[in-house]
Amino acid sequence: MSRILIVEDEPDMRRGLKDNLEFEGYETVTTANGTEGLRMALKEDFDLIILDLMLPGMDGMDVCRKLKESGSTTPMIMLTARGAEEDKISGLEAGADDYITKPFSLKEMLARVKVILRRATQDRPSIHDYTFGSIVLSFDKYKATRNGQPLDLSPREFEMMRLFVENEGKVVNREQFLEQVWGYTTVPSTRTVDNHIAKLRQKIERDAENPQHIITVHRMGYKFIP
Ligand code: CA
């Protein structure tokens, strides 16, 4: 059973996360204070930490940084406020594995938790930097460039690219995307994957109408050709 530490000072949010995660079978420990959260995270073993940004005691960014400095490899999801773009970027730079913007749906949160826990437990060789054509993807930092210029990919688009890169030249079907990237298979339609592929092509391909890298394989899925 995975143990999750929730550091969140808003009582309703904390209780909502705790109840829903426990309902899904996770064991949770909660605290409302950043300093206390850091102390617990250093003392006990957790499989995941959900960390709010604005906290009494010590803010989430500092908790995250101090944990990373201590050598902690426990994955962290940062909770950020809507529209606070810099917070997301600083959070990822401080070492958070993912962020989720408030207000969020619990379904979305549970999906992100599943993806992160599976990624952490799967012993797959981790890809750090990957280059194809003029594009460089840094999976560690969620940073991408084309010809040295920043290329704006969302964390989800990075996960899609990770799946592609891991299956280079092989067909990846829509169900694999839903399971590995979204973390659940009950989204309304596999069309979600197609829509995200279309957006990804706009960013990756020179000509999204004539893709050279993300190839549609009729009735099967998609294939990545570097
Ligand atoms: Ca807060």
Side-chain angles (χ1 to χ4, degrees), residues 8-10 52 54-55 102:
E8 165 64 85
D9 58 322
E10 288 162 51
D52 188 31
M54 301 294 282
L55 289 166
K102 289 180 180 175

Side-chain angles (χ1 to χ4, degrees), residues 153-178:
L153 297 186
S154 68
R156 181 160 284 161
E157 287 166 341
F158 267 100
E159 292 310 315
M160 294 176 81
M161 285 310 300
R162 192 197 297 270
L163 191 57
F164 268 138
V165 167
E166 285 173 346
N167 294 281
E168 196 183 296
K170 285 187 272 183
V171 176
V172 183
N173 65 39
R174 291 170 181 82
E175 285 70 29
Q176 280 172 279
F177 277 107
L178 291 177

Side-chain angles (χ1 to χ4, degrees), residues 3-86:
R3 282 188 94 217
I4 301 176
L5 174 64
I6 302 165
V7 190
E8 165 64 85
D9 58 322
E10 288 162 51
D12 289 347
M13 178 72 80
R14 191 171 62 240
R15 196 170 309 118
L17 284 169
K18 177 185 163 66
D19 289 351
N20 280 276
L21 288 167
E22 289 184 352
F23 185 77
E24 292 291 311
Y26 300 109
E27 190 186 329
T28 66
V29 175
T30 65
T31 174
N33 182 289
T35 315
E36 180 66 6
L38 176 64
R39 194 190 61 77
M40 290 162 107
L42 289 171
K43 197 170 127 239
E44 298 175 43
D45 273 338
F46 294 100
D47 299 292
L48 173 69
I49 302 169
I50 298 175
L51 194 55
D52 188 31
L53 200 54
M54 301 294 282
L55 289 166
M58 181 187 289
D59 73 32
M61 211 74 86
D62 282 340
V63 173
C64 179
R65 228 173 260 128
K66 288 208 185 309
L67 279 172
K68 290 292 166 187
E69 279 167 20
S70 78
S72 165
T73 55
T74 309
M76 281 179 261
I77 298 178
M78 194 90 85
L79 305 180
T80 65
R82 194 217 296 266
E85 288 300 317
E86 306 101 61

Side-chain angles (χ1 to χ4, degrees), residues 185-202:
T185 50
T186 52
V187 285
S189 139
T190 49
R191 196 168 297 242
T192 308
V193 176
D194 298 337
N195 291 340
H196 277 79
I197 290 281
K199 271 193 219 156
L200 194 51
R201 276 183 176 145
Q202 296 286 349

